[in-house]
Amino acid sequence: MSPSPRVVIIGAGIVGANLADELTARGWNRITVVDQGPLPLTGGSSSHAPGLVYQTGPSKTMTAFAQYTVEKLRSLDVDGAWCFNQVGGLEIATTPERLADLHRKQGWAASWGVSGTVVGPEECARLHPLLDPGQVLGGFHTPADGLGKSSRAVLALARRAGAAGADFRGSTRVLGINQQGGRVTGVHTDQGDIPADIVVSCAGFWGRRVGDMVGMTVPLLPMAHQYARTGQIPELVGRNDDLTEAHLPILRNQDYDLYYREHNDRIGIGTYAHRPIPVSLTDLPENEDGSTSEEDMPSMLPFTDEDFASSWEQSKRLLPALRSAKVEAGFNGVFSFTPDGGPLIGESPDVAGFWIAEAVWVTHSSGVARSVAQLLVDGRSEVDLHGCDVHRFDEIETSDDYVTETSKQNFVEIYDVLHPSQPKLSPRDLRTSPFHARQRELGAVFRESHGWERPHWYEANAPLVKELPTEWAPRPRDSWSAMFHSPIVAAEAWKTRNAVAMYDMTPLKRLEVSGPGALAFLDRLTTGKIDRSPGYVAYTLVLDDAGGVRSDITVARLDEETFQVGINGNLDLDHFRREQPADRSVQIRDITGGTCCIGVWGPHARDLVQPLSHDDFSHEGLKFFRCKRAHIAGIPVTAMRVSYVGELGWEIYTSAEYGQKLWDVLYEAGRDLGVAPAGRGAFNSLRLEKGYRAWGADMNTEHNPYEAGVGFAVRMQKKGDFIGREALEGIDPDAVTRRLTCLTVDDGRSVLLGSEPVLLDGRPTGYVTSAAFAHTLGTPIAYAWLPSSATPGTPVEVQYFDRKVRATVAAEPLVDPEMHRIRR
């Protein structure tokens, strides 16, 4: 049996110690953990973290991380002292908006399997007697939440990992990462070199500095967050001792950006209500003498009283027992923030064997460590990581200016009630298509995605709303689903189904894959038949080794050695580059920024395009899932006969230099046909009517193709091997126990937004992935993961805030199942 790889983990905090424990539990015993601070209290964020572990959030992945953290920390102790105190959690509402949000949060909890109940003011005061019930409208109580003692857990984990062979070395400063031939070979420290086959940076807010050692961009911003402790509170005297520390549930008053926990007979208060305070690593104390006192810890900066004043006044209103108390101590603790608030997990694109696990808080520490250990040992995480992968960002999103601005905004909004469609205010206008000026003239309402400005509807189409047939007329919505929505979306969907519409598809990432090895390369990475003659387009899947859906893509063969590949984002580009042959037989080029695309779809699409071209755009001249190079009004284009909205038409690509001219030509020629510009609102509604999946929302690596309803894209009979084939051979497509399922909402008006729990026979058994109002059908629809026993006609209920909405499982697709409209 070959020895396990040599692993060096940089950072002996809660993440690094957890990772060492997870790796040794899997039989890897050549593990070295180094930290620049003294052991066991190294001076990083784990040394001072308040330890509030609330499991519930909008992300299924992050909730899974937190659930495992609770499970694992509960199993640990240090000489009988707890590492997790399951006192429960209580989030309170002081406004009607927050109370509604707590009901939404309770729905998330039900979706992800966390027990929680929304309770009234009196029950809040019973659970936490220091509360003034007159200040509270209600609360969300989660009995399984509690306090994670990170400093103690680190010691327990280090002991266990050490007993299994891991070596922990404190007061060891990393000076560089040794590498040779594009791979790590070790870590250079002030105590000498440590050989390594794998290096994992778990350095917390020092992560950027470690990443710089291998030229890897780590997009995080260290920021200070205030934490204070009161003097003795008479009402708490005698309730706790130094061992128990707390009995009351941890408390969050998110309306005022505050949280509270007991420290024996004192109260700890954390606040995000102050200004964002970015921290420069060069300004932090170095802790050269090995001291473990709080005054010397680089992660604990001096308390700024002026930032705490308003939070203290609000705390005294909420907790009257504090009115006679004083703030006895405090500090500004340093934590890591990222552009989207998620952790950063992944391997360097340039230096094999160098990994990071950064921007991870105590709440998710064990779960993240388990996933990283699975990646290293097994090659995949059982929990989908696309929202955590460091390579999820495009280049503009990793610039210092972008990281700083968005991370500061995430700090400000950390406890805000955020709508899933709420647009980002800044930074904006970073990436625009060549049509942007025309879209602004038409009153486009933009939202941002990966820096791209994407129209969601056009105010120029407002007059069309009055022209809609009765069956297409927009229905009244509740205030939540009506936010950031417009009835104009119905008009744009109507135009697409009954006339012709123009969609800006430019922001969808596309690659040019070329070279003598391109065909074999794409054939190995995908489930479809790529070896077709030039002019074919394939919808196909990219799987991982376990058969999970890594992505769904389109591959258009332009000539014998050139393919245009439509992908889902930067994660796909990163994956393709990692799989790229070393013999240079395959070239991969991101062509998104230099090209643009207009989707022209609707029953009059051919009437619009054909008169502008000498090329044949008839059904026989360009069949469905075919492509060709052509000219429209003299402009060189590549036309692909594909449609994500279920209507006749093409994705028409051209070089960015011709983009505005192409838009103008099509728009002017379409006036007599009733052409309308259309945005993502209509697009999403129409694609759900056709049952088209959105990767990342409807399916991910946790699902196989047969569960996700995309088994048709798998060609098991194709020649040669492809990634995931072996795993799929062991799956009976007809025997899967869960499926992505279509729902129609019975009341015809309740528009869901995603992540709501679905109840079968009164019990939560699944959750909504995507939802929209289906304007063609005049009813809301949704897709949800449900047991495969939920066949068409099965009644279900969806929990929407504090009420149950009846829905029915439906056969899909809901619109044009015979595909007549798209193939005419």
Side-chain angles (χ1 to χ4, degrees):
M1 182 176 179
S2 59
S4 63
R6 299 166 298 178
V7 181
V8 174
I9 299 170
I10 301 172
I14 191 67
V15 181
N18 257 303
L19 179 56
D21 180 65
E22 293 289 333
L23 289 174
T24 54
R26 288 164 172 77
W28 285 20
N29 54 14
R30 298 200 292 174
I31 314 292
T32 304
V33 185
V34 299
D35 201 294
Q36 63 184 350
L39 299 177
L41 214 57
T42 63
S45 299
S46 302
S47 305
H48 64 73
L52 280 69
V53 178
Y54 281 93
Q55 298 170 81
T56 305
S59 165
K60 181 176 181 289
T61 291
M62 298 300 282
T63 298
F65 287 160
Q67 288 172 302
Y68 183 68
T69 299
V70 168
E71 175 189 337
K72 185 172 182 179
L73 296 189
R74 281 188 67 198
S75 70
L76 300 174
D77 69 86
V78 174
D79 303 327
W82 58 269
C83 291
F84 189 79
N85 188 353
Q86 201 160 41
V87 293
L90 180 63
E91 301 176 67
I92 58 150
T94 63
T95 64
E97 293 77 15
R98 180 67 63 180
L99 184 59
D101 192 60
L102 294 185
H103 281 288
R104 183 171 66 130
K105 188 168 288 186
Q106 194 275 327
W108 294 337
S111 291
W112 316 143
V114 177
S115 176
T117 309
V118 177
V119 298
E122 294 78 14
E123 180 63 8
C124 289
R126 188 193 69 79
L127 291 166
H128 201 297
L130 298 189
L131 271 174
D132 177 2
Q135 300 285 324
V136 178
L137 298 180
F140 176 45
H141 180 227
T142 45
D145 291 338
L147 295 167
K149 189 79 166 180
S150 56
S151 56
R152 191 178 292 155
V154 165
L155 181 56
L157 292 164
R159 284 180 177 179
R160 189 160 73 183
D167 177 20
F168 283 73
R169 303 181 188 180
S171 301
T172 302
R173 189 176 303 279
V174 174
L175 304 176
I177 308 297
N178 300 332
Q179 51 185 291
Q180 184 176 357
R183 289 201 61 90
V184 298
T185 59
V187 174
H188 177 51
T189 80
D190 60 355
Q191 306 297 314
D193 287 359
I194 306 172
D197 305 300
I198 296 170
V199 174
V200 187
S201 176
C202 303
F205 53 81
W206 283 284
R208 290 190 63 164
R209 180 178 291 175
V210 178
D212 287 343
M213 295 177 183
V214 296
M216 182 179 181
T217 300
V218 180
L220 64 80
L221 179 70
M223 283 201 287
H225 157 60
Q226 286 201 306
Y227 192 76
R229 292 193 193 190
T230 70
Q232 190 178 73
I233 307 298
E235 289 85 346
L236 296 181
V237 173
R239 288 177 56 93
N240 305 302
D241 55 36
D242 290 338
L243 183 61
T244 58
E245 286 192 39
H247 281 94
L248 297 178
I250 50 178
L251 178 66
R252 287 204 290 203
N253 181 9
Q254 292 171 296
D255 287 322
Y256 290 91
D257 298 312
L258 287 159
Y259 64 81
Y260 308 90
R261 58 153 293 182
E262 288 174 280
H263 290 282
N264 198 341
D265 54 7
R266 289 160 169 76
I267 291 289
I269 306 171
T271 177
Y272 294 96
H274 56 81
R275 62 193 167 92
I277 309 175
V279 175
S280 172
L281 297 184
T282 58
D283 295 335
L284 297 179
E286 292 293 340
N287 200 359
E288 298 283 0
D289 62 359
S291 168
T292 58
S293 67
E294 292 187 355
E295 291 79 9
D296 296 320
M297 284 190 183
S299 60
M300 299 177 71
L301 304 180
F303 193 67
T304 48
D305 295 282
E306 65 277 11
D307 289 311
F308 192 68
S310 63
S311 294
W312 179 237
E313 292 305 312
Q314 177 56 35
S315 297
K316 289 188 289 186
R317 281 194 290 271
L318 182 68
L319 306 174
L322 300 185
R323 293 171 187 170
S324 59
K326 295 185 183 302
V327 175
E328 191 174 76
F331 61 93
N332 288 6
V334 183
F335 293 89
S336 299
F337 284 76
T338 62
D340 61 4
L344 306 173
I345 299 170
E347 185 181 20
S348 163
D350 303 311
V351 182
F354 181 84
W355 290 74
I356 68 167
E358 307 290 18
V360 182
W361 294 7
V362 174
T363 302
H364 310 107
S365 56
S366 298
V368 167
R370 178 179 63 172
S371 284
V372 174
Q374 290 172 343
L375 287 170
L376 296 178
V377 177
D378 306 321
R380 76 183 297 268
S381 163
E382 66 185 71
V383 175
D384 173 68
L385 298 179
H386 81 270
C388 307
D389 194 308
V390 66
H391 303 296
R392 65 189 181 271
F393 302 109
D394 281 355
E395 184 178 5
I396 187 66
E397 299 172 281
T398 64
S399 68
D400 286 346
D401 288 347
Y402 188 96
V403 172
T404 297
E405 181 173 351
T406 54
S407 296
K408 287 166 65 175
Q409 189 61 29
N410 283 327
F411 181 93
V412 171
E413 295 178 347
I414 192 167
Y415 279 171
D416 287 0
V417 177
L418 298 176
H419 192 280
S421 299
Q422 189 164 329
K424 179 184 293 182
L425 297 179
S426 180
R428 295 298 297 267
D429 294 326
L430 296 175
R431 307 169 82 179
T432 59
S433 78
F435 326 129
H436 188 70
R438 298 295 185 256
Q439 292 166 342
R440 290 178 65 90
E441 292 169 2
L442 292 165
V445 175
F446 294 97
R447 292 188 194 145
E448 180 270 352
S449 177
H450 293 288
W452 282 104
E453 296 295 322
R454 304 174 75 174
H456 273 250
W457 66 81
Y458 293 82
E459 291 295 331
N461 292 326
L464 296 176
V465 177
K466 296 179 180 179
E467 301 177 17
L468 289 172
T470 303
E471 63 272 20
W472 281 83
R475 306 291 176 83
R477 292 183 174 224
D478 66 276
S479 59
W480 183 253
S481 65
M483 291 176 69
F484 311 110
H485 174 76
S486 171
I488 295 172
V489 169
E492 294 176 3
W494 174 62
K495 278 290 187 178
T496 309
R497 287 278 186 250
N498 294 281
V500 60
M502 293 167 52
Y503 290 81
D504 182 0
M505 306 300 289
T506 302
L508 301 184
K509 204 171 195 69
R510 50 200 164 274
L511 310 178
E512 181 185 87
V513 179
S514 61
L519 173 61
F521 171 73
L522 290 169
D523 213 37
R524 185 178 68 85
L525 289 186
T526 67
T527 63
K529 182 175 173 56
I530 309 301
D531 189 6
R532 296 174 180 264
S533 59
Y536 270 86
V537 182
Y539 171 81
T540 184
L541 306 177
V542 180
L543 306 181
D544 64 16
D545 288 329
V549 181
R550 181 189 285 271
S551 189
D552 64 335
I553 65 175
T554 56
V555 179
R557 192 170 193 179
L558 304 182
D559 59 40
E560 289 295 332
E561 294 188 358
T562 307
F563 298 81
Q564 182 170 311
V565 183
I567 61 176
N568 278 301
N570 212 56
L571 291 180
D572 291 342
L573 175 57
D574 177 68
H575 177 59
F576 275 41
R577 284 176 172 166
R578 291 178 190 279
E579 297 291 333
Q580 191 172 2
D583 61 7
R584 300 186 179 181
S585 62
V586 178
Q587 290 80 51
I588 300 171
R589 189 164 64 97
D590 183 351
I591 61 173
T592 312
T595 57
C596 57
C597 178
I598 302 175
V600 180
W601 290 307
H604 297 327
R606 188 172 287 120
D607 301 326
L608 170 55
V609 173
Q610 186 61 82
L612 298 173
S613 179
H614 298 295
D615 297 286
D616 187 358
F617 279 83
S618 69
H619 178 66
E620 293 73 21
L622 184 55
K623 294 183 178 180
F624 191 53
F625 271 102
R626 303 291 196 278
C627 68
K628 69 178 178 182
R629 293 187 170 107
H631 286 80
I632 294 176
I635 299 168
V637 303
T638 298
M640 296 188 191
R641 184 139 178 229
V642 295
S643 173
Y644 208 47
V645 298
E647 291 293 332
L648 167 69
W650 307 269
E651 291 180 354
I652 301 175
Y653 296 88
T654 191
S655 174
E657 64 196 296
Y658 304 124
Q660 183 168 300
K661 180 65 174 177
L662 179 64
W663 178 279
D664 289 345
V665 166
L666 291 169
Y667 191 71
E668 184 60 34
R671 286 184 185 274
D672 293 341
L673 299 170
V675 71
R680 298 295 296 182
F683 185 89
N684 190 56
S685 171
L686 298 171
R687 71 100 180 163
L688 282 174
E689 292 178 351
K690 285 296 296 178
Y692 295 151
R693 277 58 170 154
W695 185 86
D698 298 317
M699 58 187 180
N700 55 48
T701 56
E702 295 181 14
H703 314 113
N704 69 53
Y706 309 117
E707 295 172 323
V710 288
F712 65 86
V714 177
R715 298 286 186 268
M716 293 296 288
Q717 69 274 22
K718 79 172 185 176
K719 295 179 181 179
D721 197 14
F722 62 85
I723 295 173
R725 176 197 280 274
E726 185 177 350
L728 294 189
E729 287 174 343
I731 298 173
D732 181 353
D734 298 320
V736 295
T737 59
R738 60 175 179 176
R739 294 186 189 276
L740 187 62
T741 304
C742 182
L743 304 177
T744 56
V745 177
D746 294 355
D747 67 12
R749 62 179 300 275
S750 296
V751 182
L752 309 172
L753 292 172
S755 298
E756 296 91 351
V758 182
L759 287 69
L760 187 61
D761 298 325
R763 295 182 297 104
T765 55
Y767 58 91
V768 172
T769 59
S770 296
F773 192 91
H775 299 285
T776 310
L777 304 169
T779 187
I781 61 174
Y783 273 78
W785 281 100
L786 288 175
S788 54
S789 59
T791 54
T794 302
V796 298
E797 290 182 310
V798 182
Q799 183 179 326
Y800 184 67
F801 289 89
D802 59 347
R803 62 189 177 94
K804 304 289 196 305
V805 174
R806 293 181 179 179
T808 303
V809 174
E812 58 169 333
L814 295 170
V815 171
D816 191 27
E818 297 85 10
M819 301 287 283
H820 292 319
R821 300 177 69 89
I822 207 168
R823 296 180 184 274
R824 53 188 161 191

